[in-house]
Amino acid sequence: MLVWAVASQKGGVGKTTTVASLAGWLQKENLRVLVVDTDPHASLTSYLGYEDDKLEHNNLFDLYAMKNLTREGILHCITHTVHKGLDLIAASMTLATIDRQLSGRQGVGRILSRSLQLIEDCYDVVLIDCPPVLGALMVNALVASSTIVVPTQTEFLALKGLEGMVRTFTVMQRANQSVHFEYLIVPTMYDRRTKASVQSLSYLQTHYKEQVWDDCIPIDTYFRESSAKRLPLPLMDPSRRGAVAYHKLLRFLVERELNRNPDKVTPQLAAILADDGSGE
């Protein structure tokens, strides 16, 4: 089972859209995918058609509140969505208090990692939507992941946010030599008609080189429509350019993992590389 965190210390760069779109393609490919919403604002939870106050005893806060992690307890925190094979661990506003709730607890940074290990036979991929704030929620997501996807809007302020995210990786690795983060920068909201987008993409490719995906996610108004319909774009209309771009990203990530973490790639997931891309 692969675990991908989608993280950035800047809001509005496409984190939730990235998780929902990748999850939509995985579900469309008949794979087993779990999405974990670790942002107290619960945007991903809402995107998939749920309200955090309706899942009061079936969410991520309950997972963190468990004194002893058990497989049964973890499974109880999972919501099965209307899309077969696409499951959710929902967020709630109570997650905003999690740093205080976990204060003094042993192994606080690996709670999510240990939880996912208990259910690793249930899914091909786990996708984690991170909050933009460095705290226990983001740390747990980063530590649990085989790859961290860093969406970066192709504009100047987002580039500054990326620098902060990369510094975070460096600081955490220095603090704990056993931690090593594999990350991929994904340019998002690219508009080839604007000078700012073109210059920002060029900057990313020049300064981050092999850490940057060699393609990009374009501006697509249908992302807004899909979130309003509470339906990931690949499931609403896989032919849209934004959906097509995320399918390319998914294939790139799977191929990358086959080279770096082949033991974590299930045969079913590896098989999508032989697919024609239609998802049918």
Side-chain angles (χ1 to χ4, degrees), residues 168-180:
T168 293
F169 296 150
T170 302
V171 168
M172 289 181 66
Q173 287 172 169
R174 285 175 179 169
N176 187 343
Q177 296 297 317
S178 68
V179 172
H180 178 70

Side-chain angles (χ1 to χ4, degrees), residues 17 24 44 60 64 85 88 119 143 145 171 199 214 216 233 258 262:
T17 297
L44 179 63
L60 185 61
Y64 280 110
L88 165 71
I119 58 169
V143 169
S145 304
V171 168
Q199 289 180 336
D214 60 6
C216 58
L233 187 54
L258 276 170

Side-chain angles (χ1 to χ4, degrees), residues 1 8 62 102 126 136 138 162 198 202 217 254:
M1 181 182 79
S8 173
D62 296 307
L102 296 178
V126 176
M138 182 185 284
L162 172 61
V198 172
S202 177
I217 306 297
V254 173

Side-chain angles (χ1 to χ4, degrees), residues 26-193:
L26 287 163
Q27 191 276 339
K28 194 172 176 61
E29 295 277 7
N30 298 312
L31 292 161
R32 304 165 301 163
V33 56
L34 173 66
V35 294
V36 184
D37 190 353
T38 70
D39 190 336
H41 291 103
S43 296
L44 179 63
T45 299
S46 179
Y47 202 133
L48 293 177
Y50 297 89
E51 300 302 331
D52 60 305
D53 58 351
K54 302 289 177 58
L55 299 169
E56 187 177 351
H57 299 294
N58 193 26
N59 59 47
L60 185 61
F61 185 84
D62 296 307
L63 185 153
Y64 280 110
M66 274 188 263
K67 299 298 182 184
N68 296 301
L69 295 172
T70 65
R71 180 182 171 93
E72 182 180 342
I74 305 305
L75 292 173
H76 182 71
C77 294
I78 295 173
T79 296
H80 302 294
T81 74
V82 296
H83 310 291
K84 184 180 178 181
L86 173 53
D87 294 345
L88 165 71
I89 299 183
S92 68
M93 281 302 297
T94 50
L95 285 173
T97 68
I98 205 70
D99 282 21
R100 185 171 70 251
Q101 298 283 346
L102 296 178
S103 179
R105 185 165 160 181
Q106 289 291 323
V108 68
R110 295 188 178 273
I111 295 172
L112 185 56
S113 177
R114 297 202 311 273
S115 299
L116 295 178
Q117 287 171 4
L118 292 172
I119 58 169
E120 63 181 352
D121 60 316
C122 297
Y123 298 100
D124 298 291
V125 180
V126 176
L127 288 157
I128 308 172
D129 191 11
C130 297
V133 179
L134 181 61
L137 292 168
M138 182 185 284
V139 168
N140 266 267
L142 300 183
V143 169
S145 304
S146 57
T147 293
I148 302 160
V149 176
V150 186
T152 304
Q153 184 180 356
T154 47
E155 58 94 24
F156 177 73
L157 290 178
L159 298 182
K160 301 300 288 185
L162 172 61
E163 291 174 9
M165 194 74 244
V166 173
R167 279 197 302 270
T168 293
F169 296 150
T170 302
V171 168
M172 289 181 66
Q173 287 172 169
R174 285 175 179 169
N176 187 343
Q177 296 297 317
S178 68
V179 172
H180 178 70
F181 298 122
E182 295 283 353
Y183 66 93
L184 177 71
I185 299 165
V186 176
T188 60
M189 304 181 192
Y190 179 68
D191 186 346
R192 59 185 175 81
R193 299 168 300 178

